Structures are given as C-alpha cells and as structure tokens.
Amino acid sequence: MNNGKLCISICAETVDELIRGIERAEELADVTEIRFDCLNKAEFYCEKLEEFNRIIDKLLKYKKEVPWISTFRPKSQGGRRELSDLERSIFWFSGYELDQGDFEEDVIEDSFYWLWFDSICSYHDFSGLHEKSDEIYTRLKGTGAPILKIAVETHDVADALPIWKLLKRARVDGKEMIPIAMGEAGKWTRILGLAHGAYLTYASLEAGGETAPGQLIASEMIDVYRVKQLDRETKVYGVIGDPVSSSLSPVIHNAAFVANGLNAVFIPLLVKDLDEFMRRMVRQETREVELNFAGFAVTMPHKQAVIKYLDGLDDVAATVGAVNTINTEDGKLVGYNTDAAGFIEPLKRTFGDLKGARVAVIGAGGAARACVYTLKSQEADVTIIARDESKARALAEEFTAGSSGLSKIKDPSSKASLNDFDIIVNATPIGMKGELETQSPLTAHELAGVKFVFDLVTSADDTPLIREAKKAGVSAIGGEEMLLEQAAKQFEIWTGGSAPIDVMRDALNKKQQETRG
Ligand code: NAP
C-alpha cells in the first residue's frame, strides 16, 4: 500500500456533462481533475465575466465528495482550446475557491500564490523531452510551488528515465513530484509512480476519455494494476516487445498474482531499443533505476535478439533459439521458452496425435521456431513457409524440416499446394490489430482440403484466417489457449507455485468480452 492518489481527469464540453463525469469519477478517484479548458467557448468564456460567474456558481453548487484540481491549460501547452492571456488571468485570479490548481509555469511568476493553494506547477511537452529535465525541474522548483509536474511524450521505454529520476531529487528537496511519461512507452511511469513516491497518478474515466496520450482507464489502474497497493517491495514483471498495446498478458498475469496473494505486478513495456532497455533499466551492473524487475515475458520482435543479454538458457530455449520468458535467479537473467509447450498442448487436445501429420508453419520468426521444434518432437512432418524463402530454408535446415516461399505456395501454376497439409499454423502477425488486421495469409479457396488451422494470433473476434477457415469448412482455433498455456508456465517459472489457470482464463474471457463491447 502506498500513500499516493489516483486522480481521474474529466474533460467535457458542457458543464452538465462535466458534473455527470465528476459524479461517476468520485466512485473511484481520490481527487478529480476538472479540465476547464475542455468546456467549449460558447459554454464557458472567461472574458464574459457574467457568464464565467454563472458557470462557476453552478459548479460550486455541486456537493463534491473528493477534492478537485482545476486545470485551465492553453492549446499551446496541451490544453483543448486556445485561451487568451486575459482569459487565463480572469480564470485564475477571479477569487474562485480552488482546492488545488494546476498552473503552467508561465501563469504565475509570483511564488506568493503558492502560499494560498496547495498547488501544482506543471510543464508539458507533447513532442518529447527537448530541454534537460534537470533544468525544467530547477525552474519549476524556483516558482516555489509545493508540487511539481513534468509530463513529456515518450517513444521508447527508456525515454522516461530522466523525468523518473527526478522523484529522488524531489524527495531530497522536500517537494512533491508527478513525473509522467506520456504515450504507450511511458505507461510504466503511470502504473509504478505511486509505489515510488509520486504525488498522484492520472487516469481517465473511460476508454476514449483520455486527456493525455498513454493514460489508462481508472478501473484498469485499480482492478488490473492495483496502483495504490504497490510498493517498493512489489516484484515487477512485464511484457517487452513492440507493439505491446494489445497484449493480453497484463490482464492474465495480474489476475493470477491477485489470486495467489502475491505482491507482484505485470506491466506493458514498449521496448524499441532492446540494448538501451537491458543496459539502462535491467542489467544490475549498468541500470540507472531500481524498479525491482523480477522477470519478463518477451514478445515480437525480441525473442531471438534478447538471448545475447541473458546469463543462461534452459534446454528448450537453447534448442529452439528463442526466449519468451526471462526469470531473475540470484541476480542472473535466465531465459526460457514456454511457447513450445503452450503451442503443442492445445493442438494435441483439439487435433489429436501429431505423429506423421503434415503441418505447414507460416512464418520463420520466434514463435515459428518454437512450433517447429515441438512439432518435430511429436514426429510431425513439418514444412516452413515464409515470405522470405531464405529464412524458411535456414530454419528448416536447423530443424530438419521442409521449406517453401509463401508466394510460391500461393502460385496456382506451382506444383506445391496447401492441400498437401493436414494442419496450417499461422506464426506471423497477419491478422493482428493495426494495418495487418484485415488481411488473411490464406483464402478459403487456398485452404480447401486442409483439416485444421491454428492461428497463433489472439483476437477478441475471429481472425481473418479463422474466418476463411470457417468459410472453407475447416476446423480452426485461435491463439487464446496457447496464450493461457504459455502464461501458466511463465507464472510457474516466476513464482515456483502452480498457476491459477481458471482465474487466468476468466480474466482473459472478461477482457475479450469488453473488447467486443
Ligand atoms: P517475429 O519473431 O517477429 O516473426 C514474425 C514472422 O512473421 C517473420 O517470419 C516475419 O517475416 C513474418 N511476417 C511478418 N509480417 C508478415 C507479413 N505481412 N506477411 C508475411 N509474413 C510476415 O514474431 P513472433 O514472435 O514469431 O510472433 C508471430 C505471431 O505469433 C504474432 O502474431 C504473435 O502475437 C503470435 N504469437 C502468439 C502466441 C500465443 O500465445 N498465442 C505466442 C507467440 C506468438 P520476416 O522475417 O520476413 O519479417
């Protein structure tokens, strides 16, 4: 448990909507941020004093349950609309009674005001950290404000380090600090902030209501990440990859940690530069921060590249040549591969004995390696099909399998044909969210004659490949069962306990239902 506060930021165009938002936010928040700059100009225009007073009076009649932070930020500093200097002065100096205000640096230079308000002095940069974080901090501190907030856009996980380190400096200076790394890459600062002494962390009321990039929904912050219960002893696990925004692993693993009463949390870590992440945030000898990382799930594109940063591998990971799980053991980083077992068990359950089965694995990346290894161990007859035929061939040579190019197998004039296979495995990201979402690696026509399709992609709805398989009358499963099996094995490696698989399945199903809406 920590002493931090969860602040729900409310942005609405009309005062009535704003009040409805406040009412709902009060059920979850310790404090609400009222984003006055979201109110539309027709509704709220400070230069017309009568109108301003009428709106403020209406708001003040609302009997609030939790304190407010008032924010009135111009567009140039991340607010929703253009605000003149006059409007800003009227707003801040009207005598309207504030619980707390969030003032941009330029609003007040006179530290006298901080004696009135337990207030925040904030700096925002939505295009990255262009000034030295220490210099920004020194300037904000110079205003005399008791609470300093620095919010900058980040693109990679380690971009947040300069502002994160200010937490320590603020502690020494007797200041409260709110370091926020915006964007997907900075989510970790929002989740772990309170555990490391941040004054508060922001959340949105609902999906689509985010007031800054990377902001998580309040219910997720509370139910999935338990941000107010985390402390410095909390063991931190995370999924490292690019992208990670659609990863279901946080939902599954956090549910398992709660079910087994563990002081542990699992977070998304958008890692583009793996070398920088391992050096600056993970490896004991070189890391710049102590986040208490205890292990990682590794996803694309890092499953093979991560091996060189590890101190050891288990036998399966060494043979497969890909790691999807890292555990810290006596300060050493040890790599495992749970994809192999996670893949083969649901396949055997649904298809049956694999001995002699003719299987085409599409893709030659980390997941494909695990599939090929474990299919071979079941004595299946495996062919690797990849868009880059040389990669298919190289992998086939390693595991003594067949190989082909994807375009060759799809070419009607070619002798190679997909009907030669009993099972098709999609081990590419085709069908995942984003630009690959609507594609299918194969059409219903191309799948005619195949007995079974296993699409490793996880999706709340049928993936394009599964839709094509259904059209062709071919049995098919998606990546969910593999996701659960491999996650259960990860949990056992990390904790030494048995995984609460039913809890993990329920959490996954609930999330999938929410996604379907
Ligand atoms: P990876 O190492 O990046 O490999 C991806 C493979 O797909 C590479 O061979 C790549 O070819 C190929 N590929 C990428 N885009 C393609 C396209 N548009 N058309 C044809 N081929 C394409 O990724 P991974 O870790 O193996 O993961 C692959 C998929 O499996 C992902 O969707 C992942 O989510 C899924 N997966 C699911 C589970 C589960 O538990 N359900 C577990 C592991 C993986 P190039 O080398 O030419 O780029």
Side-chain angles (χ1 to χ4, degrees), residues 164-380:
W164 182 260
K165 288 185 205 164
L166 294 173
L167 273 170
K168 206 170 179 180
R169 186 163 164 201
R171 240 188 335 270
V172 174
D173 291 345
K175 292 283 179 192
E176 296 284 2
M177 178 75 207
I178 311 172
I180 298 173
M182 294 185 285
E184 181 67 36
K187 278 186 176 164
W188 67 270
T189 62
R190 297 182 183 275
I191 298 168
L192 300 182
L194 299 186
H196 288 258
Y199 176 70
L200 59 75
T201 187
Y202 292 91
S204 66
L205 193 50
E206 59 213 341
E210 299 82 2
T211 54
Q215 206 171 69
L216 290 129
I217 306 164
S219 56
E220 204 180 357
M221 291 283 262
I222 295 168
D223 299 335
V224 177
Y225 296 108
R226 296 148 24 248
V227 294
K228 288 171 61 180
Q229 288 165 36
L230 310 180
D231 54 34
R232 274 164 216 236
E233 302 304 312
T234 302
K235 286 188 173 177
V236 178
Y237 298 86
V239 53
I240 62 177
D242 178 17
V244 288
S245 56
S246 56
S247 173
L248 295 160
S249 298
V251 164
I252 297 172
H253 282 301
N254 284 315
F257 290 150
V258 172
N260 282 22
L262 300 171
N263 184 11
V265 67
F266 187 99
I267 61 177
L269 294 161
L270 176 63
V271 175
K272 290 182 186 293
D273 186 333
L274 184 62
D275 189 70
E276 179 146 302
F277 173 65
M278 296 304 287
R279 188 169 44 80
R280 298 182 65 196
M281 296 181 73
V282 181
R283 297 274 340 171
Q284 206 169 11
E285 323 80 68
T286 51
R287 66 186 173 217
E288 297 169 24
V289 285
E290 291 301 331
L291 296 175
N292 211 17
F293 280 133
F296 302 98
V298 186
T299 189
M300 55 183 245
H302 301 313
K303 284 183 180 177
Q304 290 162 264
V306 82
I307 290 176
K308 71 172 180 210
Y309 300 98
L310 306 181
D311 301 301
L313 295 179
D314 87 325
D315 290 346
V316 178
T319 315
V320 171
V323 161
N324 79 325
T325 309
I326 301 171
N327 192 33
T328 52
E329 296 168 16
D330 300 326
K332 304 267 185 235
L333 299 171
V334 182
Y336 295 82
N337 188 305
T338 68
D339 278 339
F343 164 73
I344 210 70
E345 283 166 24
L347 183 59
K348 284 203 296 193
R349 272 201 303 272
T350 41
F351 183 82
D353 187 10
L354 293 162
K355 188 169 180 184
R358 292 158 307 164
V359 187
V361 175
I362 306 176
R369 298 182 74 84
C371 296
V372 173
Y373 156 81
T374 186
L375 283 164
K376 292 292 294 180
S377 72
Q378 300 292 310
E379 298 180 42

Side-chain angles (χ1 to χ4, degrees), residues 299-304 324 339 362-369 386-388 391 406 426-430 432 436 439 454-458 478-484 486:
T299 189
M300 55 183 245
H302 301 313
K303 284 183 180 177
Q304 290 162 264
N324 79 325
D339 278 339
I362 306 176
R369 298 182 74 84
R387 63 178 170 185
D388 180 341
K391 287 188 184 164
L406 188 56
N426 176 31
T428 76
I430 307 175
M432 273 176 85
L436 297 171
Q439 297 174 24
F454 192 167
D455 192 349
L456 303 197
V457 171
T458 47
E480 288 74 18
E481 281 304 309
M482 173 174 176
L483 181 68
L484 282 169
Q486 62 82 30

